[in-house]
Every structure is written in structure tokens, then in C-alpha cells.
């Protein structure tokens, strides 16, 4: 693919982005039929990290972060940068200086299927990052790539303008054309969970609430006393 930087990408309504961002990764993943979740090696660099935003995508050569710098030229406040490489990499392609620039321009966080460094400084900045690895290995700025093209990051297809939500449980991508539907389904799931939580707090068992006792019986599971089992 010829190197390209795409400008003026289509972004969903900000109110809708914020609505999606109010839900947890787990809730959104379930609302989408258990899809959209990046592979579990994508981990936050500090435990309470949480971020959401519209995706600005970056396709980089491994060990080269020039296109991450280029992504800031087309990023807007509320965007979240999603980086992957043309072949696997764990090099530290992102650090405190780039994070400072992103914060100044209103970028809400970074998802990178490669390495990051300056983790203590990034944590002090409270700039949320999810990465495949942490590595002090330096990088160069020598090989062109692309910005705002469709990419696959940690097993998930991400297009410019999709909504990314990330928390301690992982990273999920909500396709922008499904955002309103997913927001509705996520809210329904929250309301259902609130009712279930109240029943659990009252002492009911999940076996009854979810109909699991009958399901276990149908699968051939039996309840026996210890003396019956030992006999």
C-alpha cells in the first residue's frame, strides 16, 4: 500500500462517543455479541487507566515511530490514537515526549500493538496507554507508513472514526455505524445487571437466577450426599 495520511475523517457525534465511553469494556463487548475485543496481551501501563475516543489509526514500520508523530497533524481533541505495525514489534515506539504532545493536542490516549517506554513518566502524566510490551529499546524515524487507513490491531479491525474504549479489562472497538445501537444494548445490559445484583445481594443464587440448576440436571449432573458418593 502506498504511504498516505488521510485528513478530515468522518467522526461520530461527540455526545454519542461520550455515551459509549461511559460503559465498561466488558459491557460493550457483551453488547456487541462478544466481539470487538482486542487480544488480552494489550495491557494498560498503570492499573486505573481508562480512556475512550474516536480512532485515528497508524500503520507503522516496526521500530519506527515517524507515523505516530505524523498522526498528530490530523488528530483532533477527543481522538485516541491506535497504532499497529506491518510486522510484529516490541520496540519502545512511544514515550513521554510524544505523550506530552498528544496531551497538548487533546488526544485522550494511545493503543499500540508494540512497545512503550518512559512508563514512570507516562504514569506521572496520567496519560493512558495500552501496549503489547514495555521496552526501553529505541526507535528511528526513517520509514514511511500510513495514517487513517483501516488496520488490524491485536486481532480487531479498526477503521478511522470508530470508537475505542479501554480500561483495566482490555480494549474494545465499536464500529461507528453501530454506535447508537450498541449504546442502547449496553444500557439495557446495565439495567438487567442492576436487577440481578439486587437479587444476588438478597441471597439468591445464580443457579436459580440464571436457571442453571435445571441446565446442570439436563446435562446429567446429580446432587449426592458425601456418604452416597463414598459408597
Amino acid at each position: 500500500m502506498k504511504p498516505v495520511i488521510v485528513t478530515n475523517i468522518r467522526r461520530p457525534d461527540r455526545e454519542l462517543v461520550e455515551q459509549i465511553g461511559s460503559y465498561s469494556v466488558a459491557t460493550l463487548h457483551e453488547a456487541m455479541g462478544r466481539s470487538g475485543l482486542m487480544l488480552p496481551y494489550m495491557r494498560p501501563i498503570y492499573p486505573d487507566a481508562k480512556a475512550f475516543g474516536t480512532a485515528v489509526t497508524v500503520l507503522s514500520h516496526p521500530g519506527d515511530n515517524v507515523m505516530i508523530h505524523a498522526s498528530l497533524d490530523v488528530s483532533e481533541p477527543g481522538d485516541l490514537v491506535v497504532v499497529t505495525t506491518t510486522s510484529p514489534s516490541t520496540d519502545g515506539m512511544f514515550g513521554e515526549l510524544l505523550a506530552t504532545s498528544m496531551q497538548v493536542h487533546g488526544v485522550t490516549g494511545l493503543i499500540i500493538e508494540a512497545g512503550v517506554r518512559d512508563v514512570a513518566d507516562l504514569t506521572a502524566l496520567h496519560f493512558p496507554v495500552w501496549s503489547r510490551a514495555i521496552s526501553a529499546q529505541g526507535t528511528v524515524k526513517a520509514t514511511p507508513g500510513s495514517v487513517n487507513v483501516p488496520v488490524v490491531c491485536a486481532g480487531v479491525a479498526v477503521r478511522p472514526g470508530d470508537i475505542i474504549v479501554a480500561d483495566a479489562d482490555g480494549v474494545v472497538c465499536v464500529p461507528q455505524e453501530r454506535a447508537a445501537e450498541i449504546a442502547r444494548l449496553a444500557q439495557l445490559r446495565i439495567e438487567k445487571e442492576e436487577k440481578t445484583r439486587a437479587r444476588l445481594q438478597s441471597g439468591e443464587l445464580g443457579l436459580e437466577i440464571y436457571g442453571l440448576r435445571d441446565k446442570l440436571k439436563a446435562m446429567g449432573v446429580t446432587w449426592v450426599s458425601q456418604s452416597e458418593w463414598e459408597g
Side-chain angles (χ1 to χ4, degrees), residues 211-224 229:
L212 298 178
R213 191 180 301 278
D214 290 337
K215 187 173 183 178
L216 286 170
K217 290 178 180 178
M219 290 189 292
V221 178
T222 59
W223 276 252
V224 298
W229 172 248

Side-chain angles (χ1 to χ4, degrees), residues 87-107:
S87 60
S89 176
T90 57
D91 293 345
M93 294 174 60
F94 182 87
E96 178 261 337
L97 291 177
L98 260 172
T100 298
S101 184
M102 285 190 175
Q103 280 191 324
V104 167
H105 288 87
V107 173

Side-chain angles (χ1 to χ4, degrees), residues 33-34 62 65 71 73 79-80 110-111 135 145 169 173 207 222:
R34 298 183 181 176
N65 69 359
S71 72
D73 188 47
D79 285 341
L80 188 152
L110 176 81
I111 312 297
S135 174
D169 289 335
C173 175
L207 283 175
T222 59

Side-chain angles (χ1 to χ4, degrees), residues 38-44 84 112-114 130-133 153-155:
M38 292 189 185
L39 292 170
Y41 56 62
M42 300 295 288
R43 301 304 304 149
T84 191
I112 179 166
E113 193 179 15
W130 285 254
S131 68
R132 180 173 187 167
C153 183

Side-chain angles (χ1 to χ4, degrees), residues 89-224:
S89 176
T90 57
D91 293 345
M93 294 174 60
F94 182 87
E96 178 261 337
L97 291 177
L98 260 172
T100 298
S101 184
M102 285 190 175
Q103 280 191 324
V104 167
H105 288 87
V107 173
T108 62
L110 176 81
I111 312 297
I112 179 166
E113 193 179 15
V116 298
R117 61 184 187 177
D118 303 335
V119 169
D121 294 324
L122 294 173
T123 303
L125 283 173
H126 214 65
F127 186 78
V129 177
W130 285 254
S131 68
R132 180 173 187 167
I134 294 172
S135 174
Q137 176 65 48
T139 56
V140 298
K141 299 170 179 61
T143 312
S146 293
V147 175
N148 280 333
V149 297
V151 299
V152 175
C153 183
V156 172
V158 181
R159 296 164 305 165
D162 285 346
I163 303 173
I164 305 297
V165 180
D167 61 23
D169 289 335
V171 184
V172 70
C173 175
V174 178
Q176 61 172 306
E177 72 275 9
R178 294 191 62 198
E181 172 202 2
I182 297 308
R184 179 182 63 83
L185 293 174
Q187 183 57 39
L188 289 174
R189 184 171 182 84
I190 290 292
E191 293 169 2
K192 181 180 178 181
E193 287 182 348
E194 288 175 351
K195 294 177 181 178
T196 301
R197 185 177 299 106
R199 293 177 67 180
L200 291 168
Q201 288 173 338
S202 73
E204 285 189 73
L205 294 177
L207 283 175
E208 267 52 70
I209 295 173
Y210 303 120
L212 298 178
R213 191 180 301 278
D214 290 337
K215 187 173 183 178
L216 286 170
K217 290 178 180 178
M219 290 189 292
V221 178
T222 59
W223 276 252
V224 298

